[in-house]
Amino acid sequence: MSIDNVIERAFERHESDVRPGPGAWHEVQRRVRRRHRYRLVATALGATIAVVGAIVVVPKIGPEPNDRFDALPDGWRPIRSDQGGFRVGFPPGWKASDDLGVTVGVPPDAFSSSEGKPLFIVTFSIVPEPYDRTPQTYLFAPDPTTVRGRKANRYSDASLDDTFRRRIIYRIEWPRLCADRACSGAYTLIASIVGTDEKLWERYRPIAERIVQRAEPAPVSGSSTTSFVQAKIGADAISMTSTSDGLWALIPAPGEVARPGSLVKIDPRTNRVSLRLAVGLNPKAVVGGFGSIWVSHGAPQNSVWRFDLATNKATARIKVEDAGDIVAGEGAVWVVGGAGVSVIDPGTNRVRMSVAVGGGGPPRLAVGGGYVWSVAASGREVPAGGRKNTVTILDPKDYHVIEVVDVPAGLSQADITFGFGTAWVTSAGSETPTSLMRIEPGTWKVTRSISLPEAGNTGLDLVTTGEGFVWAVNGRGQLWKVDPVANHPVGASKETIPLTIGDNAPIFAEDVITGFGSVWVASGDGQIWRIAP
Amino acid sequence: MDPAIAERAIGVLEPSRSRLDRLGEWFSAEYESLLRFAYFLTGDADTAEDLVQDAFVRLYRADRRIEAEGFRPYARRTIVNLHRSRFRRARAERSAMTASTTPVTSRNPEPVDHVWRAILALPKGQRACVALRFYEHLSEQEIADTLGVSNGTVKKQMHRAMSALRESLGDRSES
């Protein structure tokens, strides 16, 4: 029986698992009534606010632009205001790769509402010119952001600075918006400020108007997390490696495991695929080393293929059961397979031996500092007699396990890399705060845990080092840049803003590497993102 | 107050009778089947029931879209979207996605067969694709439309799901 039939039958067998509860229709009607009344109330409130806005805001902001925008710096052209807000054109020469920040200066008394309510709602939108006021033209229309409550939406960040001047910076991730569009100066930023309460609005209207007047561009300097996307390459890669003349990306066959995958070489000068090689079924990982590219394959291929870099031909196929992650260094190629790690001799293309490593899930490997490092997060099930989340350190001279270090990882996968003289391990985060951990060779314990507070509970899936930093990617495809000396994430504000990878977040990134002056992320949405560090 | 005016005012607070009647017809015809679909999507019977009831609330006002798309496709898409937005709201994200693949409520029958266990262990996105393909018997394009993603994404999700299922089931599927 084919697997399709097996699955169909499983669904049929379990159709009776669930049946409508008693009173289901009654419950639906109750919810319909509740929602209906809620809509009535919301509509009435919305209409009231709109009327107040129309009466109070529009006449005061005035139709003539020049009498309202004198304070704007050079390069920012005032545009006729409407909709209870103001509009500012992007300065000439503003590029899609530039980040954009807007600083709204807020006087101290703007927040002194004794009623404890937000005074203003600030909304930013980006529209293409000519502006026709239809909602469909909005490129960017975030949820309203409350000034007082410091509530930021996903595209921006609102914070108060140390001097208590209550400066609010809204950062708009411009590259995200314009990645696929030829963005130019023909776009307009709209900032709208609306009072949330009629009486409060009357009292604070002059303040709100001053806020509007003080709007100014605030390009962000020294930010790493607003890294620029240099290129996006159409390759649905699951693993990458770099050699001296190119980036190699491993691409499984779309649709099914029973078709061969491919290995592509990307020219870093053109960001284009310059070579495509066929690999076997179910390719898993790729690494460069010993003048070759090595590709591991899971079942049913169960092998590691070696491609000669000089001829681009497969020169060896080495049997390794259910091969997984692969690394090269310390005189051998190390590949996850079977019950542990297999050691391939690059001189003979034979497996020297296999070493059992701890943990329950398929391990990830790293080489560095004179050792081979393996991390395995157990997932939901701890193997009988096994330890849950461990880093196993192997001595490459005699293949013995030197130490097994327990790490506080969580549910899903963990990753490991070596750089700056230390091993870096990602935590999966469900049981502990999401963090990046260091294990120094010789200490054999977690010597430092670097918290990435905005990573949430999604866990860090991938880590690599290069270009002077450690790079970590979490389960939402967000990229952090971590200073290995300061042991701190690098960002534009106290609370680091990560760069979100992928056009349709959340995307689960597949791999991250560094090379050719860039960070490369296989974004999981069929593209490799090249990012300036 | 004039009783007629009062009655009209109260009437405004009530949903339209004709709409409710039509919703009732849809409910009778499709509720149970959609409930099963939601169950296959969520892996949890209580969540499924809550989801489908919320979907019917949305369907109450969606005349034009239902006319344009047909009841079943639109209802399916509504359930998928509600499921997705709840998932996002809860910030459950990836780790919870793994965690929630096992039914937790007492109403859920314990998965006893290995095929079912393997299906429930799939990540949400992959399970949605599998449910739409093998339970709803949709084409790749229809799955993409329902999930609001590209064909390529569906292909990839199906590929991963089938790989995972083959791996989980081993050669048992051949027997």
Side-chain angles (χ1 to χ4, degrees), chain A residues 140-187:
Chain A
F140 168 68
D143 294 333
T145 302
T146 58
V147 171
R148 186 174 182 277
R150 299 168 55 190
K151 181 181 167 188
N153 60 59
R154 59 190 286 196
Y155 293 110
S156 65
D157 173 54
S159 60
L160 306 183
D161 68 11
D162 286 338
T163 59
F164 213 59
R165 284 160 49 205
R166 292 170 167 93
R167 198 176 64 153
I168 300 174
I169 299 174
Y170 294 87
R171 171 162 308 115
I172 298 165
E173 292 178 32
W174 189 233
R176 268 182 57 105
L177 295 171
C178 292
D180 285 336
R181 302 179 178 95
C183 287
S184 67
Y187 290 84

Short mmCIF file of all heavy atoms in Angstrom, two decimals, chain A residues 140-187:
data_model
loop_
_atom_site.label_atom_id
_atom_site.label_comp_id
_atom_site.label_asym_id
_atom_site.label_seq_id
_atom_site.Cartn_x
_atom_site.Cartn_y
_atom_site.Cartn_z
N PHE A 140 2.97 50.52 4.05
CA PHE A 140 3.33 50.29 5.43
C PHE A 140 2.29 50.97 6.31
O PHE A 140 2.17 52.18 6.30
CB PHE A 140 4.72 50.89 5.67
CG PHE A 140 5.12 50.99 7.10
CD1 PHE A 140 5.37 49.86 7.84
CD2 PHE A 140 5.27 52.22 7.70
CE1 PHE A 140 5.75 49.95 9.16
CE2 PHE A 140 5.66 52.32 9.02
CZ PHE A 140 5.90 51.18 9.74
N ALA A 141 1.49 50.22 6.96
CA ALA A 141 0.47 50.82 7.80
C ALA A 141 0.39 50.04 9.11
O ALA A 141 -0.39 49.12 9.25
CB ALA A 141 -0.88 50.80 7.09
N PRO A 142 1.26 50.37 10.03
CA PRO A 142 1.30 49.60 11.27
C PRO A 142 0.11 49.90 12.17
O PRO A 142 -0.63 50.85 11.93
CB PRO A 142 2.59 50.09 11.92
CG PRO A 142 2.74 51.47 11.42
CD PRO A 142 2.19 51.48 10.03
N ASP A 143 -0.02 49.11 13.18
CA ASP A 143 -1.05 49.40 14.17
C ASP A 143 -0.71 50.71 14.86
O ASP A 143 0.45 51.09 14.94
CB ASP A 143 -1.08 48.28 15.23
CG ASP A 143 -1.52 46.99 14.60
OD1 ASP A 143 -2.25 47.05 13.60
OD2 ASP A 143 -1.13 45.93 15.11
N PRO A 144 -1.71 51.38 15.38
CA PRO A 144 -1.43 52.62 16.10
C PRO A 144 -0.46 52.37 17.26
O PRO A 144 -0.49 51.33 17.89
CB PRO A 144 -2.79 53.03 16.64
CG PRO A 144 -3.76 52.39 15.73
CD PRO A 144 -3.13 51.10 15.30
N THR A 145 0.38 53.33 17.47
CA THR A 145 1.37 53.23 18.54
C THR A 145 1.05 54.27 19.59
O THR A 145 0.93 55.44 19.28
CB THR A 145 2.76 53.50 17.96
OG1 THR A 145 3.00 52.57 16.93
CG2 THR A 145 3.83 53.37 19.02
N THR A 146 0.89 53.85 20.82
CA THR A 146 0.58 54.83 21.85
C THR A 146 1.86 55.48 22.34
O THR A 146 2.84 54.79 22.62
CB THR A 146 -0.14 54.18 23.04
OG1 THR A 146 0.70 53.16 23.54
CG2 THR A 146 -1.46 53.58 22.61
N VAL A 147 1.85 56.77 22.41
CA VAL A 147 3.05 57.50 22.81
C VAL A 147 3.36 57.24 24.27
O VAL A 147 4.46 56.85 24.63
CB VAL A 147 2.84 59.01 22.58
CG1 VAL A 147 3.99 59.79 23.19
CG2 VAL A 147 2.73 59.28 21.11
N ARG A 148 2.37 57.41 25.09
CA ARG A 148 2.65 57.35 26.52
C ARG A 148 2.99 55.92 26.96
O ARG A 148 3.85 55.69 27.79
CB ARG A 148 1.44 57.85 27.30
CG ARG A 148 1.68 57.96 28.78
CD ARG A 148 0.48 58.60 29.43
NE ARG A 148 0.70 58.76 30.85
CZ ARG A 148 0.51 57.78 31.74
NH1 ARG A 148 0.09 56.62 31.35
NH2 ARG A 148 0.72 58.00 33.02
N GLY A 149 2.30 55.02 26.39
CA GLY A 149 2.50 53.64 26.82
C GLY A 149 3.74 52.99 26.24
O GLY A 149 4.04 51.86 26.56
N ARG A 150 4.48 53.67 25.39
CA ARG A 150 5.69 53.14 24.79
C ARG A 150 5.43 51.83 24.08
O ARG A 150 6.28 50.95 24.05
CB ARG A 150 6.79 52.95 25.84
CG ARG A 150 7.20 54.20 26.53
CD ARG A 150 8.04 53.91 27.73
NE ARG A 150 9.21 53.09 27.40
CZ ARG A 150 10.01 52.55 28.29
NH1 ARG A 150 9.78 52.73 29.56
NH2 ARG A 150 11.04 51.82 27.92
N LYS A 151 4.25 51.68 23.59
CA LYS A 151 3.93 50.41 22.95
C LYS A 151 4.36 50.48 21.49
O LYS A 151 3.88 51.31 20.73
CB LYS A 151 2.43 50.18 23.04
CG LYS A 151 1.95 48.89 22.43
CD LYS A 151 0.45 48.82 22.58
CE LYS A 151 -0.13 47.71 21.71
NZ LYS A 151 -1.58 47.76 21.71
N ALA A 152 5.27 49.65 21.11
CA ALA A 152 5.80 49.72 19.76
C ALA A 152 5.21 48.62 18.90
O ALA A 152 4.91 47.54 19.39
CB ALA A 152 7.31 49.59 19.78
N ASN A 153 5.02 48.91 17.67
CA ASN A 153 4.55 47.85 16.79
C ASN A 153 5.76 47.12 16.20
O ASN A 153 6.90 47.46 16.46
CB ASN A 153 3.65 48.42 15.70
CG ASN A 153 4.39 49.42 14.87
OD1 ASN A 153 5.39 49.09 14.27
ND2 ASN A 153 3.95 50.66 14.87
N ARG A 154 5.49 46.14 15.39
CA ARG A 154 6.57 45.26 14.95
C ARG A 154 7.57 45.94 14.03
O ARG A 154 8.66 45.44 13.84
CB ARG A 154 6.01 44.04 14.24
CG ARG A 154 5.18 44.40 13.04
CD ARG A 154 4.45 43.19 12.53
NE ARG A 154 5.37 42.29 11.84
CZ ARG A 154 4.94 41.33 11.05
NH1 ARG A 154 3.66 41.15 10.88
NH2 ARG A 154 5.78 40.55 10.43
N TYR A 155 7.18 47.03 13.43
CA TYR A 155 8.10 47.68 12.50
C TYR A 155 8.88 48.82 13.15
O TYR A 155 9.66 49.46 12.51
CB TYR A 155 7.33 48.26 11.32
CG TYR A 155 6.71 47.20 10.47
CD1 TYR A 155 5.34 47.03 10.45
CD2 TYR A 155 7.50 46.36 9.70
CE1 TYR A 155 4.77 46.05 9.67
CE2 TYR A 155 6.94 45.37 8.93
CZ TYR A 155 5.57 45.22 8.91
OH TYR A 155 5.01 44.26 8.15
N SER A 156 8.59 49.09 14.38
CA SER A 156 9.22 50.28 14.95
C SER A 156 9.59 50.03 16.41
O SER A 156 9.23 49.03 17.00
CB SER A 156 8.28 51.47 14.84
OG SER A 156 7.14 51.23 15.63
N ASP A 157 10.26 50.96 16.92
CA ASP A 157 10.68 50.85 18.30
C ASP A 157 10.50 52.22 18.96
O ASP A 157 10.94 53.24 18.45
CB ASP A 157 12.16 50.46 18.37
CG ASP A 157 12.67 50.51 19.78
OD1 ASP A 157 12.05 49.86 20.63
OD2 ASP A 157 13.65 51.21 20.03
N ALA A 158 9.83 52.25 20.05
CA ALA A 158 9.66 53.50 20.77
C ALA A 158 10.37 53.38 22.11
O ALA A 158 10.20 52.40 22.82
CB ALA A 158 8.18 53.78 21.00
N SER A 159 11.20 54.33 22.43
CA SER A 159 11.91 54.24 23.70
C SER A 159 12.16 55.63 24.24
O SER A 159 12.16 56.62 23.51
CB SER A 159 13.23 53.51 23.50
OG SER A 159 14.02 54.22 22.57
N LEU A 160 12.37 55.71 25.53
CA LEU A 160 12.70 56.98 26.16
C LEU A 160 14.20 56.99 26.42
O LEU A 160 14.76 56.00 26.87
CB LEU A 160 11.95 57.12 27.48
CG LEU A 160 10.44 56.95 27.40
CD1 LEU A 160 9.80 57.18 28.75
CD2 LEU A 160 9.84 57.91 26.39
N ASP A 161 14.83 58.09 26.15
CA ASP A 161 16.28 58.09 26.34
C ASP A 161 16.65 58.40 27.78
O ASP A 161 15.81 58.72 28.62
CB ASP A 161 16.97 59.02 25.34
CG ASP A 161 16.65 60.48 25.62
OD1 ASP A 161 16.08 60.77 26.68
OD2 ASP A 161 16.97 61.31 24.76
N ASP A 162 17.94 58.31 28.08
CA ASP A 162 18.39 58.42 29.46
C ASP A 162 18.16 59.79 30.06
O ASP A 162 18.05 59.95 31.27
CB ASP A 162 19.91 58.12 29.53
CG ASP A 162 20.15 56.64 29.36
OD1 ASP A 162 19.20 55.88 29.62
OD2 ASP A 162 21.25 56.27 28.96
N THR A 163 18.15 60.79 29.22
CA THR A 163 18.04 62.15 29.76
C THR A 163 16.59 62.52 30.07
O THR A 163 16.30 63.64 30.44
CB THR A 163 18.59 63.17 28.75
OG1 THR A 163 17.84 63.04 27.55
CG2 THR A 163 20.05 62.89 28.46
N PHE A 164 15.73 61.59 29.92
CA PHE A 164 14.33 61.80 30.25
C PHE A 164 13.73 62.91 29.42
O PHE A 164 12.83 63.62 29.83
CB PHE A 164 14.18 62.12 31.75
CG PHE A 164 12.90 61.60 32.32
CD1 PHE A 164 12.61 60.24 32.27
CD2 PHE A 164 11.96 62.44 32.89
CE1 PHE A 164 11.44 59.75 32.78
CE2 PHE A 164 10.77 61.95 33.40
CZ PHE A 164 10.50 60.60 33.35
N ARG A 165 14.29 63.08 28.22
CA ARG A 165 13.71 64.08 27.33
C ARG A 165 12.56 63.49 26.54
O ARG A 165 11.94 64.15 25.74
CB ARG A 165 14.79 64.61 26.38
CG ARG A 165 15.74 65.56 27.06
CD ARG A 165 17.03 65.68 26.30
NE ARG A 165 16.78 65.92 24.87
CZ ARG A 165 17.64 65.61 23.91
NH1 ARG A 165 18.77 65.01 24.24
NH2 ARG A 165 17.39 65.87 22.67
N ARG A 166 12.33 62.23 26.78
CA ARG A 166 11.20 61.55 26.14
C ARG A 166 11.24 61.68 24.63
O ARG A 166 10.33 62.19 24.00
CB ARG A 166 9.89 62.09 26.70
CG ARG A 166 9.70 61.71 28.15
CD ARG A 166 8.54 62.44 28.73
NE ARG A 166 8.15 61.89 30.01
CZ ARG A 166 8.59 62.34 31.16
NH1 ARG A 166 9.48 63.31 31.20
NH2 ARG A 166 8.16 61.82 32.28
N ARG A 167 12.37 61.33 24.15
CA ARG A 167 12.50 61.31 22.71
C ARG A 167 12.01 59.96 22.19
O ARG A 167 12.32 58.92 22.78
CB ARG A 167 13.97 61.49 22.32
CG ARG A 167 14.17 61.92 20.91
CD ARG A 167 15.62 62.18 20.67
NE ARG A 167 16.40 60.93 20.82
CZ ARG A 167 17.54 60.71 20.21
NH1 ARG A 167 18.06 61.63 19.45
NH2 ARG A 167 18.21 59.60 20.39
N ILE A 168 11.28 59.99 21.18
CA ILE A 168 10.74 58.74 20.66
C ILE A 168 11.32 58.50 19.27
O ILE A 168 11.26 59.38 18.41
CB ILE A 168 9.21 58.79 20.57
CG1 ILE A 168 8.64 59.05 21.96
CG2 ILE A 168 8.65 57.50 20.00
CD1 ILE A 168 7.17 59.26 21.97
N ILE A 169 11.88 57.35 19.10
CA ILE A 169 12.44 57.02 17.79
C ILE A 169 11.62 55.89 17.19
O ILE A 169 11.47 54.83 17.78
CB ILE A 169 13.90 56.59 17.89
CG1 ILE A 169 14.73 57.71 18.47
CG2 ILE A 169 14.43 56.16 16.53
CD1 ILE A 169 16.16 57.34 18.74
N TYR A 170 11.09 56.15 16.06
CA TYR A 170 10.39 55.11 15.33
C TYR A 170 11.30 54.65 14.22
O TYR A 170 11.65 55.43 13.33
CB TYR A 170 9.08 55.63 14.73
CG TYR A 170 8.09 56.00 15.78
CD1 TYR A 170 8.09 57.26 16.35
CD2 TYR A 170 7.16 55.07 16.23
CE1 TYR A 170 7.19 57.60 17.32
CE2 TYR A 170 6.26 55.40 17.21
CZ TYR A 170 6.27 56.67 17.76
OH TYR A 170 5.38 57.00 18.73
N ARG A 171 11.72 53.43 14.29
CA ARG A 171 12.56 52.93 13.22
C ARG A 171 11.73 52.11 12.25
O ARG A 171 10.99 51.22 12.64
CB ARG A 171 13.69 52.06 13.75
CG ARG A 171 14.44 51.38 12.61
CD ARG A 171 15.79 50.88 13.01
NE ARG A 171 16.55 51.94 13.64
CZ ARG A 171 16.93 51.90 14.90
NH1 ARG A 171 16.63 50.87 15.64
NH2 ARG A 171 17.61 52.87 15.43
N ILE A 172 11.86 52.43 11.03
CA ILE A 172 11.14 51.70 10.00
C ILE A 172 12.15 50.89 9.22
O ILE A 172 13.13 51.43 8.72
CB ILE A 172 10.39 52.68 9.07
CG1 ILE A 172 9.37 53.46 9.90
CG2 ILE A 172 9.72 51.92 7.93
CD1 ILE A 172 8.83 54.67 9.19
N GLU A 173 11.93 49.60 9.17
CA GLU A 173 12.90 48.74 8.50
C GLU A 173 12.71 48.86 6.99
O GLU A 173 12.03 48.08 6.36
CB GLU A 173 12.73 47.30 8.98
CG GLU A 173 13.13 47.15 10.42
CD GLU A 173 12.93 45.74 10.92
OE1 GLU A 173 13.07 44.82 10.11
OE2 GLU A 173 12.64 45.58 12.09
N TRP A 174 13.34 49.88 6.50
CA TRP A 174 13.15 50.25 5.11
C TRP A 174 13.55 49.14 4.14
O TRP A 174 12.84 48.87 3.18
CB TRP A 174 13.94 51.54 4.87
CG TRP A 174 13.72 52.21 3.57
CD1 TRP A 174 14.67 52.57 2.68
CD2 TRP A 174 12.48 52.62 3.01
NE1 TRP A 174 14.10 53.18 1.61
CE2 TRP A 174 12.76 53.22 1.77
CE3 TRP A 174 11.16 52.53 3.42
CZ2 TRP A 174 11.77 53.73 0.95
CZ3 TRP A 174 10.17 53.03 2.60
CH2 TRP A 174 10.49 53.63 1.38
N PRO A 175 14.67 48.45 4.38
CA PRO A 175 15.02 47.38 3.43
C PRO A 175 13.94 46.31 3.35
O PRO A 175 13.72 45.71 2.32
CB PRO A 175 16.32 46.81 4.02
CG PRO A 175 16.89 47.92 4.81
CD PRO A 175 15.73 48.66 5.37
N ARG A 176 13.27 46.05 4.46
CA ARG A 176 12.20 45.05 4.43
C ARG A 176 11.08 45.48 3.48
O ARG A 176 10.48 44.69 2.80
CB ARG A 176 11.59 44.90 5.82
CG ARG A 176 12.22 43.83 6.65
CD ARG A 176 11.48 43.77 7.95
NE ARG A 176 10.06 43.53 7.70
CZ ARG A 176 9.46 42.38 7.90
NH1 ARG A 176 10.15 41.38 8.34
NH2 ARG A 176 8.18 42.24 7.66
N LEU A 177 10.80 46.77 3.51
CA LEU A 177 9.70 47.26 2.70
C LEU A 177 10.05 47.28 1.22
O LEU A 177 9.21 47.06 0.36
CB LEU A 177 9.34 48.69 3.12
CG LEU A 177 8.79 48.83 4.54
CD1 LEU A 177 8.69 50.29 4.88
CD2 LEU A 177 7.43 48.18 4.65
N CYS A 178 11.29 47.59 0.97
CA CYS A 178 11.66 47.89 -0.40
C CYS A 178 12.50 46.80 -1.05
O CYS A 178 13.02 46.99 -2.14
CB CYS A 178 12.44 49.20 -0.46
SG CYS A 178 11.40 50.58 -0.04
N ALA A 179 12.64 45.69 -0.38
CA ALA A 179 13.55 44.68 -0.89
C ALA A 179 13.22 44.27 -2.32
O ALA A 179 14.10 44.10 -3.15
CB ALA A 179 13.51 43.46 0.02
N ASP A 180 11.96 44.12 -2.60
CA ASP A 180 11.58 43.70 -3.94
C ASP A 180 11.03 44.84 -4.78
O ASP A 180 10.49 44.62 -5.86
CB ASP A 180 10.51 42.60 -3.87
CG ASP A 180 11.14 41.29 -3.46
OD1 ASP A 180 12.35 41.14 -3.70
OD2 ASP A 180 10.43 40.45 -2.91
N ARG A 181 11.07 46.02 -4.25
CA ARG A 181 10.49 47.13 -4.99
C ARG A 181 11.60 48.14 -5.29
O ARG A 181 12.52 48.31 -4.52
CB ARG A 181 9.40 47.82 -4.17
CG ARG A 181 8.29 46.87 -3.76
CD ARG A 181 7.29 47.65 -2.94
NE ARG A 181 6.18 46.81 -2.55
CZ ARG A 181 6.09 46.17 -1.40
NH1 ARG A 181 7.05 46.29 -0.53
NH2 ARG A 181 5.05 45.42 -1.12
N ALA A 182 11.44 48.80 -6.37
CA ALA A 182 12.42 49.82 -6.71
C ALA A 182 12.05 51.10 -5.97
O ALA A 182 11.52 52.05 -6.52
CB ALA A 182 12.42 50.06 -8.20
N CYS A 183 12.29 51.08 -4.68
CA CYS A 183 11.90 52.23 -3.87
C CYS A 183 12.79 53.43 -4.21
O CYS A 183 13.98 53.29 -4.43
CB CYS A 183 12.01 51.91 -2.39
SG CYS A 183 10.73 50.79 -1.84
N SER A 184 12.21 54.56 -4.21
CA SER A 184 12.97 55.77 -4.51
C SER A 184 12.36 56.90 -3.70
O SER A 184 11.63 56.68 -2.76
CB SER A 184 12.87 56.08 -6.00
OG SER A 184 11.53 56.43 -6.30
N GLY A 185 12.67 58.10 -4.08
CA GLY A 185 12.13 59.24 -3.36
C GLY A 185 10.65 59.44 -3.62
O GLY A 185 10.04 60.34 -3.07
N ALA A 186 10.08 58.61 -4.47
CA ALA A 186 8.67 58.81 -4.80
C ALA A 186 7.75 58.17 -3.77
O ALA A 186 6.70 57.65 -4.07
CB ALA A 186 8.38 58.23 -6.17
N TYR A 187 8.19 58.18 -2.54
CA TYR A 187 7.35 57.69 -1.47
C TYR A 187 7.25 58.75 -0.38
O TYR A 187 8.12 59.58 -0.23
CB TYR A 187 7.93 56.40 -0.86
CG TYR A 187 7.82 55.24 -1.80
CD1 TYR A 187 8.78 55.04 -2.78
CD2 TYR A 187 6.74 54.38 -1.75
CE1 TYR A 187 8.67 54.00 -3.67
CE2 TYR A 187 6.62 53.34 -2.63
CZ TYR A 187 7.59 53.15 -3.59
OH TYR A 187 7.47 52.11 -4.46
#
